[in-house]
Amino acid sequence: MRLELSRTTAIATILALSGAFANSASAAESLQDVMKRRNLSEKDMLAAAKTYTPSGGRDEFLTFSSSGHAGSIIVYGIPSMRIYKYIAVFTPEPWQGYGFDDESKALLKAGSPQGQTINWGDTHHPNLSKTNGDYDGQWLFINDKSTPRIAVISLKDFETRQIVVNPVLTNEHGGAFVTNNTEYVMEASQLPSPLGHKYAPLDKFNDEFRGGITYWKFNKDAGKIEQENSFTLELPPYSQDLVSSGKGPSEDWAFLNSFCSERYVGGIESGKPPFEAGCSANDTDFMHIINWKKAEAVFKAGKFTKINGMAVIPLKTVIDEGLVYLVPEPKSPHGVDVSPDGKFVIVGGKLDSHGSVFDFAKMKAQIDAKKFVGKDAYGFPILDMKESLHTQVALGLGPLHNQYDSKPCVVYTSLYVDSQIVKWDYCQGKVLDKIAIQYNVGHLLTMGGDTMHPDGHYLVALNKLSIDRFNPVGPLHPQNHQLIDISGDKMELLYDLPIGLGEPHQAVAIRADKLKPTIRYKYGTDSRTEEESKFAVRPGSEKIVRTPGKVEVFGTVIRSHYNPEIVEAEEGDQVTFHWTNSERAEDETHGFAISQNDVNLSLEPGKTASATIEHAKAGVYPYYCTEFCSALHLEMEGYLMVRPKGSAIEKASTNVGTVYTKADFDKQYKACLDTQSVIDKVVAYITSTNFKDFPTAVGQVEDATDQLKFGTEARAKADDYAKKEDWQNATLWAGQWWQYQVKAADIGLRTKTYLEQNGARTVK
Ligand code: RUQ
Ligand code: CUA
């Protein structure tokens, strides 16, 4: 009732506002006109008002969604559902230079199985680093289901820092889930295989094929996974699935689903029923209850064997030390999610219509009392299912994943087959509400929904099919992320976001104010390691180093030129460019592309990145900037000149082109002086205001001051040449002075507009 009232009030406000506008601007369409023309209902208008974010506005939450086999992470805002970024992780991404600069190539190579570089990945489950069960805004992790790998992404610059390859497992699904304080990143296998990438025939499945879960040790300060401090638990050859970390009372534990506990091996080509038939025969599978804290102690006590450099705690030790217990869970489970207070574990069974709420205290009591109903084929103790359950609730068809609300006892479950989200009370065991989604939802997401203090507000359904929701773009349809308002009693659908990268599985959302990304790198940073690059140089100390068979360029970039601009090499040389962006200005990124080569760098302010051509072929290779960085961006260019083997080095810049006279010089010089008087006026305006109260303006003024300083240096050179009556160089340097002035004026005018629009005051 209260909700209905407030909605009516909101619409009344919108309508009243539209009336006010209609009176003041008769030619413009009124809100009612637009609603009529676009066939929008009041409900649509309310949804629009809840999501629309005016230009320059900010989102409340940032979402990190996997992109599936596109191998990256999609970043978008809530409630606006605007896409901000694709973070390149396992797949090269030219705009970010990822997979095209030497630094990221090395990262991808180190994160591939030995002897090859794998240039894609199947990203499934992003996880944010946590401190005491809540997001700390520092790190992001994601898994590769195809080649078991975990990637670490820094939330300072939203870039991938590290990829580790699992040396034991051959396939996974249960990653990258973190423990409550990010002590470990968990990664569990899916398709059982012999451990350590070995061969064994399938008729040895029961004895030689195994599952496993790896605990990757994460060093939070260094932002690095440490393989030497990581360990793997050997598990039976079930298809282990997703993992959820314990919290609070269950903090030392983790809960891992499995399916195909039948250990069925298909073979449709030889007349056997397929995997899907044999893997769903039993009524129940096993949830693995893992005491990771104890496993850590066992690892530290040295009770492991090493496989390919990874510590593996063998099956027998896992059982003897009491590291893993099993409890039956409904047929072919999928999602497993621990409640914010850590007391319950909710499991959805894909082929069961219930949400099963397991009670941690009840399971723990059985473990402590060593009260088991039996053992599995490998000797793992099995708990009593009934005695472990708090309740089971009939939810609908195909329950998959669960996410928690800020309201106590409220959870949301995706129903894949029913194409619905169900809201229910897991304490009392009753369904509260259902909403239809379009269509076939996989994961769902609430804000901070896997933390100890979820934020509520919004839910996103990550749908597998969009079918008829969008303009058709061919047989491969966009994915559909649907935003749902969960702040009231009834769920309300607000917005459909088509995603053109697939297939997203899981997503996590954090309050935007918990993130503090940097604006620029410390001068000369190798962004792939976050360390100072040994290849960085300052403006003025650029150099080309030649050794036999090798040319190495240490250069800088700034609006809008490379230094150096002409680079000579000989056929067969290895040519390496190291560029440092010496800009300080916000968002002044330059690119570096060399024609006919697989090279494109993204040089954000302060960054150093490198590109190597192994064996240069004779020819002329223009290079240019791929970011429209200033009015003279198209002129940001140069040449790599690779002369045929054995020919002599040419002089880099012979005087070709236009010849300038004193008249040309005078004209250019006058233009500079005129421009200066415009700049002086803009400067006078800016400095007459309280611009110092606006960080954006302060940054821009700094940048403009830099440009003017460079201009003054160019002017001095022009003056010098003029004194020597070298009108050629005098005119060209005067022209360069003018280029800097133009950039300064451009920034100055932008600042002036900014100050006017943001209510700066006159202070003198
Ligand atoms: S898991 S929905 Cu990796 Cu469900 Cu895809
Ligand atoms: Cu630098 Cu365009």
Side-chain angles (χ1 to χ4, degrees):
M1 212 55 208
R2 193 169 47 82
L3 191 77
E4 286 306 311
L5 255 180
S6 65
R7 182 181 309 156
T8 317
T9 320
I11 289 174
T13 312
I14 294 172
L15 294 181
L17 272 175
S18 76
F21 283 125
N23 291 341
S24 61
S26 56
E29 270 185 310
S30 73
L31 183 61
Q32 288 95 332
D33 293 339
V34 177
M35 286 170 70
K36 211 159 138 200
R37 177 167 61 77
R38 298 199 65 215
N39 196 20
L40 300 173
S41 66
E42 288 194 356
K43 199 170 167 232
D44 295 333
M45 294 310 296
L46 187 64
K50 284 183 179 181
T51 56
Y52 176 68
T53 305
S55 178
R58 295 289 190 269
D59 274 301
E60 231 180 305
F61 296 94
L62 276 201
T63 306
F64 299 92
S65 170
S66 73
S67 72
H69 36 295
S72 54
I73 293 175
I74 305 162
V75 186
Y76 61 80
I78 287 178
S80 78
M81 302 301 269
R82 297 176 298 182
I83 291 181
Y84 290 120
K85 195 167 202 170
Y86 301 103
I87 303 174
V89 183
F90 298 111
T91 306
E93 203 289 303
W95 182 45
Q96 295 160 29
Y98 190 78
F100 299 92
D101 59 44
D102 292 352
E103 291 80 0
S104 58
K105 279 181 186 166
L107 192 154
L108 281 165
K109 196 164 179 207
S112 294
Q114 278 196 340
Q116 56 180 325
T117 300
I118 295 192
N119 272 331
W120 80 287
D122 188 6
T123 56
H124 270 237
H125 316 114
N127 246 233
L128 288 157
S129 59
K130 287 175 184 165
T131 301
N132 298 327
D134 289 319
Y135 300 149
D136 54 30
Q138 303 290 308
W139 305 99
L140 176 65
F141 309 91
I142 198 155
N143 65 321
D144 174 8
K145 171 171 169 159
S146 160
T147 301
R149 297 189 284 178
I150 300 288
V152 181
I153 294 119
S154 167
L155 291 175
K156 267 190 235 157
D157 60 356
F158 290 43
E159 279 212 15
T160 302
R161 283 275 182 281
Q162 185 188 20
I163 299 174
V164 289
V165 196
N166 197 308
V168 175
L169 310 176
T170 58
N171 172 270
E172 60 107 291
H173 191 211
F177 300 100
V178 304
T179 53
N180 219 28
N181 274 296
T182 329
E183 297 93 338
Y184 292 94
V185 184
M186 299 180 278
E187 182 178 41
S189 59
Q190 183 181 325
L191 281 94
S193 302
L195 297 183
H197 308 171
K198 296 221 176 53
Y199 177 81
L202 279 162
D203 58 13
K204 299 256 169 68
F205 191 87
N206 288 346
D207 301 324
E208 299 203 10
F209 283 58
R210 288 291 178 265
I213 180 167
T214 299
Y215 279 82
W216 290 104
K217 178 71 195 160
F218 186 63
N219 179 333
K220 246 191 203 176
D221 299 324
K224 279 249 148 46
I225 284 176
E226 298 170 339
Q227 186 174 326
E228 65 282 12
N229 295 320
S230 306
F231 58 91
T232 297
L233 304 185
E234 184 179 346
L235 296 175
Y238 310 139
S239 292
Q240 278 78 18
D241 201 17
L242 302 184
V243 197
S244 187
S245 164
K247 306 174 172 100
S250 55
E251 188 166 315
D252 297 348
W253 299 74
F255 307 88
L256 167 62
N257 275 341
S258 68
F259 58 94
C260 205
S261 55
E262 296 86 351
R263 288 174 289 157
Y264 178 71
V265 178
I268 204 163
E269 66 299 321
S270 46
K272 282 180 79 180
F275 276 100
E276 59 175 326
C279 278
S280 55
N282 293 353
D283 282 341
T284 55
D285 289 288
F286 291 122
M287 175 158 78
H288 301 45
I289 308 161
I290 303 170
N291 189 336
W292 67 262
K293 207 57 200 243
K294 208 165 173 193
E296 179 185 58
V298 168
F299 161 66
K300 285 186 175 160
K303 297 178 194 166
F304 57 79
T305 52
K306 279 232 169 174
I307 301 180
N308 293 339
M310 161 74 73
V312 178
I313 305 178
L315 213 61
K316 192 169 174 314
T317 314
V318 172
I319 298 167
D320 292 350
E321 299 280 345
L323 307 184
V324 175
Y325 301 88
L326 303 177
V327 63
E329 53 183 355
K331 210 177 177 70
S332 301
H334 189 42
V336 55
D337 300 279
V338 174
S339 61
D341 60 10
K343 291 184 180 161
F344 298 102
V345 187
I346 297 183
V347 170
K350 297 185 299 261
L351 300 180
D352 184 273
S353 55
H354 293 88
S356 300
V357 186
F358 288 89
D359 184 327
F360 175 70
K362 289 185 178 177
M363 298 191 287
K364 181 79 179 359
Q366 293 172 68
I367 292 170
D368 290 345
K370 298 197 175 6
K371 201 175 152 220
F372 307 118
V373 292
K375 287 181 176 175
D376 80 339
Y378 296 86
F380 281 87
I382 302 173
L383 310 188
D384 185 86
M385 180 174 170
K386 253 206 170 136
E387 232 178 88
S388 303
L389 280 167
H390 167 66
T391 183
Q392 279 187 302
V393 182
L395 299 177
L397 299 182
L400 289 189
H401 296 283
N402 316 290
Q403 285 275 287
Y404 294 91
D405 201 338
S406 52
K407 298 167 195 141
C409 295
V410 174
V411 67
Y412 301 84
T413 300
S414 52
L415 301 175
Y416 177 84
V417 178
D418 274 342
S419 282
Q420 287 178 331
I421 303 290
V422 52
K423 171 181 179 178
W424 53 293
D425 180 323
Y426 59 90
C427 300
Q428 309 217 1
K430 59 170 192 225
V431 170
L432 302 171
D433 188 27
K434 282 190 179 188
I435 189 170
I437 54 78
Q438 290 77 26
Y439 301 89
N440 297 87
V441 58
H443 272 272
L444 74 175
L445 156 78
T446 55
M447 310 299 98
D450 67 343
T451 66
M452 292 188 78
H453 301 91
D455 293 291
H457 289 281
Y458 304 105
L459 180 149
V460 178
L462 281 66
N463 303 324
K464 298 300 177 189
L465 304 178
S466 62
I467 308 184
D468 57 359
R469 290 294 104 173
F470 305 115
N471 292 43
V473 289
L476 181 64
H477 291 210
Q479 299 273 315
N480 186 14
H481 284 199
Q482 289 185 302
L483 181 69
I484 293 164
D485 182 351
I486 56 167
S487 55
D489 293 338
K490 302 283 292 169
M491 292 179 272
E492 301 273 359
L493 181 66
L494 296 180
Y495 194 82
D496 284 18
L497 167 67
I499 291 189
L501 268 189
E503 167 201 304
H505 285 262
Q506 194 203 20
V508 284
I510 181 174
R511 287 196 68 87
D513 57 19
K514 283 196 169 181
L515 298 172
K516 302 268 176 290
T518 45
I519 302 232
R520 62 185 69 76
Y521 288 111
K522 241 171 84 195
Y523 193 89
T525 300
D526 168 354
S527 71
R528 314 300 179 188
T529 60
E530 219 189 318
E531 280 155 22
E532 195 185 330
S533 170
K534 56 179 191 267
F535 305 121
V537 288
R538 293 268 170 188
S541 35
E542 295 90 348
K543 59 186 175 187
I544 300 176
V545 179
R546 288 196 170 76
T547 48
K550 242 181 171 175
V551 176
E552 210 172 351
V553 179
F554 299 82
T556 60
V557 299
I558 197 161
R559 274 157 289 168
S560 279
H561 53 261
Y562 295 99
N563 185 359
E565 292 186 317
I566 314 290
V567 173
E568 303 268 356
E570 193 180 35
E571 186 175 2
D573 279 353
Q574 183 200 59
V575 183
T576 302
F577 290 89
H578 308 289
W579 294 114
T580 301
N581 182 344
S582 56
E583 304 272 4
R584 289 194 291 166
E586 180 165 4
D587 203 16
E588 271 302 339
T589 297
H590 299 281
F592 174 69
I594 310 179
S595 80
Q596 305 153 81
N597 283 280
D598 201 25
V599 168
N600 184 42
L601 306 184
S602 173
L603 300 155
E604 299 92 52
K607 177 165 151 185
T608 299
S610 313
T612 300
I613 298 171
E614 281 305 332
H615 301 283
K617 280 202 241 154
V620 170
Y621 300 92
Y623 56 79
Y624 70 98
C625 173
T626 39
E627 289 276 334
F628 211 111
C629 49
S630 80
L632 274 299
H633 148 77
L634 281 168
E635 288 78 355
M636 188 165 176
E637 57 191 13
Y639 284 103
L640 167 63
M641 307 294 297
V642 185
R643 57 183 194 282
K645 191 106 199 148
S647 49
I649 289 200
E650 295 195 17
K651 265 202 95 206
S653 48
T654 43
N655 267 342
V656 289
T658 313
V659 175
Y660 298 105
T661 61
K662 177 165 190 312
D664 293 318
F665 171 74
D666 289 343
K667 195 171 152 211
Q668 178 62 62
Y669 209 83
K670 180 167 183 307
C672 292
L673 295 175
D674 291 349
T675 307
Q676 193 56 45
S677 69
V678 176
I679 292 173
D680 292 345
K681 275 182 208 140
V682 178
V683 170
Y685 166 78
I686 294 171
T687 51
S688 76
T689 69
N690 61 331
F691 77 96
K692 288 190 177 139
D693 298 339
F694 301 88
T696 304
V698 171
Q700 289 177 350
V701 167
E702 254 180 32
D703 184 26
T705 312
D706 279 355
Q707 298 296 330
L708 287 174
K709 195 187 93 212
F710 300 142
T712 311
E713 287 161 14
R715 177 185 189 170
K717 286 184 188 166
D719 289 342
D720 239 32
Y721 281 112
K723 243 185 256 159
K724 293 186 232 159
E725 299 192 6
D726 177 345
W727 303 120
Q728 189 70 15
N729 279 312
T731 310
L732 287 167
W733 280 112
Q736 184 58 34
W737 171 21
W738 191 68
Q739 295 309 338
Y740 286 121
Q741 288 182 311
V742 170
K743 284 161 205 150
D746 172 26
I747 303 158
L749 290 170
R750 208 189 310 154
T751 313
K752 184 170 175 275
T753 312
Y754 177 89
L755 291 171
E756 284 163 358
Q757 285 176 350
N758 286 278
R761 300 174 280 110
T762 310
V763 291
K764 62 172 183 197

